[in-house]
Amino acid sequence: PQLQSKPQPQLQSKPQPQLQPTPEVDQPSHLLARKVLHVLKHDLRKNFEMLWHHKGHRAVELAVMPQSRTENGARAFISDLTNPKVSEQLLVYAGTKPTITAEPGHVMVSVNLPESEWKPVLLNPQPTWGEHDFVRFPIQFGVNNRDKPLCLELGTAISAHCAIVGTTGSGKTSLTHALLINAMLSYSPDDLQFVIIDQQRVNHSLFFPSRWAFRGMDVAVTNEQIELTFFAIYQEMEMREDLFAAAQRESGEFIENIAQYRDYAKRHRKESLPRVLFLIEEKQKLGKEWNPQIEDLLATVRKFGIHLIICSQRSQREEYISATMKANLNTRIVLKVQTDADSRALLGDDRAFSLSKEGDLYFYSDGIIQRGLGLYCPSELKSKIVKSTRPEPEPTLHGLDGDLW
């Protein structure tokens, strides 16, 4: 017999609220992207295929593929887009002047967002000690246009040292502060220490005294203090070289750099060695007299876990960053620079000269250039974090008359 199926009750669906379409005014980034595409396609009659677009913190990126996918076609397409008349037309119709760059497989059109839509990249104040790779030794300092972290990986050979170049008002000091604070949040004083030369002192005095201070040293300001700082670094190199040799004799292992020694110390329960960040602030004020010492350190200290970060407003003349220094500074953070020549000296073209806003930067590492935005740490949070890292004061004993015993 056939079973008669009972009719199922019809479920009454609740009326869904009508979603109002978001007006274009609320999406200036998408509106801006559409304007640029409209100008390129219809007003300038450029034939291309839209691959994807991404909204970053201060820019929208449009990846486009020219209709002619040959090398000559792509080169002609880029040449057309970088034509001054095209840039002027985009500036008039779309209200912006995009940056055109060629990347493998496509052409990138980067369009700055309106100021009202900017979003600073806030530093995460949560300590993450013990969660990082001590071989690569990454320290985040910003994000790229795809919101991916930009990190200094100072443990690798190509990124052992770094140059940070930017003119006054480019956000160089704020970026340096965020970099140091992020380093303190990422690594304990047993894993990282820093030493700073800053003849202005006011830029980094807030970090001292600190448990991360190399040998308890304060900011080096005078020539005598600077000379003592270089002496301490050379002394540390000799001490570490002796420790490497002693560890190699004891274990029979090949130990010639900081990563190998830290691994040896961990396995044999020996006291480890911290990496050292050696920050030279405002190199242009230091002059040429210290160039031989800096050039020598750049070439020799990498294996001992000592990493130089050289900050300067310019990069052209010898008193700023010499040619020998540039050869060993394969990682560069370039903010807004004073001249197009500074940009060409660091990046190979004048793209950094077109940066206009604080915190905008280009990151050069291992031959790859990325557009990015530096981390930002508000003053209140900065003070709170730095105060929490102060060393505890030593206990004092006072007599009845109040004199220190």
Side-chain angles (χ1 to χ4, degrees), residues 189 192-196 208 210-218 228-237 239-240 274-278 306:
L192 170 71
Q193 294 179 354
F194 52 74
V195 58
I196 298 176
F208 294 90
S210 172
R211 288 184 289 154
W212 281 262
F214 173 69
R215 298 191 177 185
M217 298 173 67
D218 202 343
L228 180 62
T229 299
F230 279 107
F231 176 78
I233 293 293
Y234 277 107
Q235 195 178 48
E236 184 73 13
M237 286 172 54
M239 184 269 289
R240 295 191 176 201
R275 291 185 183 269
V276 179
L277 290 184
F278 184 7
I306 301 173

Side-chain angles (χ1 to χ4, degrees), residues 177-219:
H177 285 183
L179 179 67
L180 288 175
I181 290 176
N182 219 20
M184 294 161 65
L185 292 172
S186 302
Y187 302 98
S188 72
D190 294 330
D191 296 316
L192 170 71
Q193 294 179 354
F194 52 74
V195 58
I196 298 176
I197 291 177
D198 180 11
Q199 291 189 305
Q200 289 185 315
R201 181 179 173 80
V202 293
N203 286 341
H204 297 91
S205 59
L206 65 99
F207 290 98
F208 294 90
S210 172
R211 288 184 289 154
W212 281 262
F214 173 69
R215 298 191 177 185
M217 298 173 67
D218 202 343
V219 183

Side-chain angles (χ1 to χ4, degrees), residues 58 109 114 140 147 178 200 249 259:
R58 290 192 180 178
V109 183
Q140 184 182 358
D147 297 331
Q200 289 185 315
R249 286 194 302 269

